Amino acid sequence: MAKPAILCVDDEPEVAAAVERDIRSRYRAEYRVVSATSGADALETVKELKRRGDAVALLIADQRMPDMTGTEFLAAAMELYPEARKILLTAYADTEAAIESINTIGLDHYLMKPWEPPEQLLYPLVDDLLAAWRATAVIPYDGIRVAGALWSAKSHDIKDFLARNRLPYQWLDVDRSADAEQLVASIGGGELPIVFFPDGTWVSNPSESDVAARAGLHTRADHPYYDLVIVGGGPAGLGAAVYGASEGMRTLMVERAATGGQAGTSSRIENYLGFPSGLSGADLAKRATDQATRLGAEILNAVEVTQIRVEDSHKVVLLSDGTEITCKAILLAMGVATRKLEVPGIERVTGAGVYYGAALTEAPNYRGQPVFVVGGANSAGQGAMLFSRYASTVTMLVRSSSLEKSMSQYLIDQIGAMPNIDVWMRREVTAVHGDPQLEAVTVMNRDTGEEETFDAAAMFIFIGQRPHTDLVADLVVRHPSGFVLTGPDLMPKGKRPDGWPLRREPMYLETSVPGIFAAGDCRYGSVNRVATAVGQGSMSVTFVHRYLDTT
């Protein structure tokens, strides 16, 4: 946290230097002393301090300044820092102006020039005012701040991106906070959301890659050539990154959003080996990311692989920033995404009450309100347990007739013990109502066909998965469902896949292209479990070694 500021302004350079000298000599250990020689310059400094999120403890201004008097400056500065203490420097003839300043802007004290010696006439006064400020001051947050609107889908996306990448931030709702409005106004406005960074810079309506680069995430590859490039940073990709790097491979993992994948959004994972008390998906993702990085893996965030091509025994990976990376082997670990719910009215409120996945950043916004969860698998159950901490009621809408078919028993037991979670079987959403935010959902009973509409503040959707494999649609053989085929699944009748150039058969996790492997949820036949994905990712490194030994 930057030191709180003391700002001194006087249009006479000698006086300004004297004020700054006396204040700095006594208070520089705990405060940052800033000076200006005009009211206009001082006001710009105040605005800059506000943009940076710095605290201002004391304002000292000379009354007799051209263009802007000390009182006028203090009045303007108070709009940004109402809690700052205020001293007006005056001459003998300015007494009446000082008294008026006390009455109009709540001036704390006026001080006649000169004040020699400062030990008697200046420091006791400043000591008292700073002590009074410290007793009531709310120290501003010193980190990334996001100014936006609660019902803005883009604001939600930026908050979610920061949260999933474990970047702390402060949310400023311009519809509910005067401070947020003032902060946005101090930069002349702009298209929301506006992200403010600790160094005082800001960006309006940014892309995720903009935020990633400014927040210090690694977004550019360090080398043009790697032994192994991993596409996707979920559990499978992280497992491969850990083992690939630990075994001496030059390893690059490219993640388009945040490491951890869908598992990283889970509020609680209680059946992962070695964590008897459970842990959050974000915690697991952070541990694995830190481990992979420590062992030497390079991880790119907020960068997407847009094309893969094969050139003889090498593979070329094109990134969304235009960079081309050459490598010996590739692991496809792109995972899956939640399927979209196609019902009338949903597009208008997606990101404004309707969310796909857990959307952990939004749960506290619905404290004491009714929330719906669509889905009946583990991810839906984990989400329902999280939302039950905030919502008045959580209603799970499940298409099937039994949770046992798709959810772990420990979650079923936990849900059954929560008094504010209701589970409605054989139900589905047929319409969504509200504009600009969600207001209600229409639910159909699949057995009777009857429909009923219920008030809803939020709806979180977990309805099946589709693989992120369009990138390789024309490169490797896929199942009609889109999942990548590997190993034995490429040879259902013992025949090697068309175009296979080698004498040997494809290895267990190898695709129809030698040297390109697949692991995790994007692979056909995978079991949707974190441990399974980690196992396949780590196992793939063994097959990569075998491939490299023969090329």
Side-chain angles (χ1 to χ4, degrees):
M1 171 67 69
K3 295 178 182 178
I6 298 175
L7 175 61
C8 311
V9 53
D10 196 302
D11 67 309
E12 296 182 32
E14 297 81 3
V15 178
V19 175
E20 183 178 0
R21 179 199 63 220
D22 289 345
I23 294 295
R24 190 184 300 277
S25 67
R26 184 175 179 95
Y27 302 103
R28 63 186 176 188
E30 296 182 53
Y31 297 89
R32 180 158 52 111
V33 182
V34 184
S35 64
T37 55
S38 74
D41 288 345
L43 191 56
E44 284 304 311
T45 300
V46 170
K47 291 179 180 178
E48 178 63 22
L49 292 168
K50 187 69 175 181
R51 284 193 287 269
R52 290 176 178 270
D54 292 347
V56 173
L58 178 63
L59 299 164
I60 303 174
D62 180 51
Q63 172 62 13
R64 292 190 177 187
M65 294 188 294
D67 300 324
M68 180 182 290
T69 68
T71 299
E72 290 171 339
F73 161 72
L74 292 173
M78 283 176 56
E79 294 182 7
L80 297 174
Y81 286 100
E83 301 303 321
R85 304 296 162 163
K86 303 170 288 296
I87 295 177
L88 191 66
L89 301 180
T90 66
Y92 180 79
D94 296 327
T95 304
E96 187 174 334
I99 294 173
E100 182 180 354
S101 184
I102 292 173
N103 294 330
T104 57
I105 67 169
L107 183 70
D108 294 293
H109 207 282
Y110 66 91
L111 182 64
M112 290 189 184
K113 300 183 290 185
W115 50 79
E116 293 293 342
E119 290 77 12
Q120 295 181 16
L121 300 178
L122 178 65
Y123 297 150
L125 166 63
V126 174
D127 287 344
D128 288 346
L129 292 179
L130 291 178
W133 177 82
R134 286 194 300 268
T136 59
V138 177
I139 302 299
Y141 173 77
D142 184 31
I144 296 173
R145 292 165 293 160
V146 180
L150 179 60
W151 306 120
S152 161
K154 185 61 184 290
S155 294
H156 161 71
D157 291 342
I158 292 298
K159 290 190 295 177
D160 191 58
F161 175 78
L162 291 169
R164 292 185 62 190
N165 279 284
R166 298 164 290 281
L167 293 170
Y169 70 94
Q170 181 185 51
W171 167 242
L172 304 172
D173 191 334
V174 296
D175 295 326
R176 301 181 180 182
S177 168
D179 286 343
E181 282 188 295
Q182 288 180 347
L183 183 60
V184 171
S186 72
I187 63 167
E191 186 177 357
L192 299 177
I194 299 174
V195 183
F196 296 86
F197 297 92
D199 63 359
T201 61
W202 53 272
V203 59
S204 174
N205 191 24
S207 66
E208 291 179 355
S209 59
D210 288 337
V211 174
R214 290 170 179 261
L217 294 179
H218 191 50
T219 60
R220 302 283 294 186
D222 292 339
H223 308 283
Y225 189 86
Y226 295 84
D227 296 317
L228 173 63
V229 171
I230 303 164
V231 185
L238 286 166
V242 166
Y243 279 84
S246 69
E247 294 178 17
M249 291 184 183
R250 177 175 284 185
T251 302
L252 174 71
M253 187 176 79
V254 183
E255 169 52 47
R256 65 187 183 89
T259 57
Q262 280 200 324
T265 68
S266 175
S267 58
R268 201 73 185 164
I269 300 172
E270 298 200 37
N271 56 359
Y272 190 71
L273 185 67
F275 294 88
S277 299
L279 77 169
S280 70
D283 189 19
L284 180 61
K286 182 182 185 304
R287 290 168 181 260
T289 301
D290 291 347
Q291 185 178 21
T293 303
R294 181 180 63 81
L295 291 170
E298 185 181 340
I299 298 176
L300 298 187
N301 289 95
V303 180
E304 191 166 3
V305 175
T306 58
Q307 184 184 29
I308 298 173
R309 66 179 188 270
V310 178
E311 295 181 354
D312 298 324
S313 62
H314 292 89
K315 286 79 183 169
V316 180
V317 176
L318 179 64
L319 304 181
S320 53
D321 62 5
T323 303
E324 281 195 347
I325 302 295
T326 304
C327 61
K328 298 177 182 178
I330 290 175
L331 175 66
L332 304 176
M334 297 90 78
V336 294
T338 302
R339 292 188 183 278
K340 300 296 183 182
L341 181 63
E342 304 289 346
V343 297
I346 197 167
E347 290 298 326
R348 291 194 302 270
V349 292
T350 298
V354 170
Y355 308 98
Y356 288 90
L360 305 182
T361 57
E362 302 298 340
N365 294 324
Y366 299 101
R367 191 180 302 274
Q369 300 181 72
V371 165
F372 283 76
V373 170
V374 182
N378 276 5
S379 55
Q382 291 160 350
M385 289 298 298
L386 168 71
F387 306 140
S388 69
R389 302 178 196 170
Y390 305 96
S392 57
T393 58
V394 177
T395 303
M396 296 187 66
L397 305 177
V398 186
R399 285 174 58 89
S400 67
S401 58
S402 171
L403 285 178
E404 281 77 6
K405 298 177 181 179
S406 56
M407 189 180 293
S408 298
Q409 188 61 47
Y410 80 88
L411 264 178
I412 296 174
D413 294 341
Q414 289 179 355
I415 289 169
M418 291 301 297
N420 63 335
I421 298 181
D422 295 321
V423 181
W424 295 356
M425 310 304 301
R426 303 286 295 167
R427 300 293 198 281
E428 64 180 83
V429 176
T430 56
V432 171
H433 311 278
D435 191 7
Q437 75 266 11
L438 177 67
E439 296 175 2
V441 297
T442 298
V443 178
M444 183 183 72
N445 185 319
R446 300 188 70 204
D447 293 324
T448 65
E450 295 179 355
E451 292 185 335
E452 192 172 355
T453 299
F454 302 91
D455 292 339
M459 181 170 68
F460 298 86
I461 301 170
F462 308 80
I463 54 166
Q465 301 169 330
R466 57 178 180 81
H468 275 306
T469 59
D470 291 346
L471 169 68
V472 294
D474 299 324
L475 181 64
V476 302
V477 176
R478 300 186 301 166
H479 187 269
S481 61
F483 293 91
V484 176
L485 297 176
T486 61
D489 291 319
L490 287 167
M491 304 179 296
K493 297 182 180 179
K495 180 183 176 182
R496 295 174 185 173
D498 294 340
W500 181 257
L502 305 179
R503 291 184 178 181
R504 65 169 176 82
E505 296 178 349
M507 288 181 274
Y508 180 63
L509 295 178
E510 196 169 20
T511 70
S512 58
V513 177
I516 298 181
F517 302 82
D521 290 350
C522 74
R523 175 180 168 270
Y524 178 74
S526 285
V527 178
N528 294 336
R529 291 290 184 269
V530 175
T532 302
V534 172
Q536 289 182 8
S538 57
M539 186 194 308
S540 71
V541 174
T542 299
F543 296 121
V544 171
H545 274 301
R546 292 180 187 175
Y547 169 75
L548 296 179
D549 288 342
T550 60
T551 56

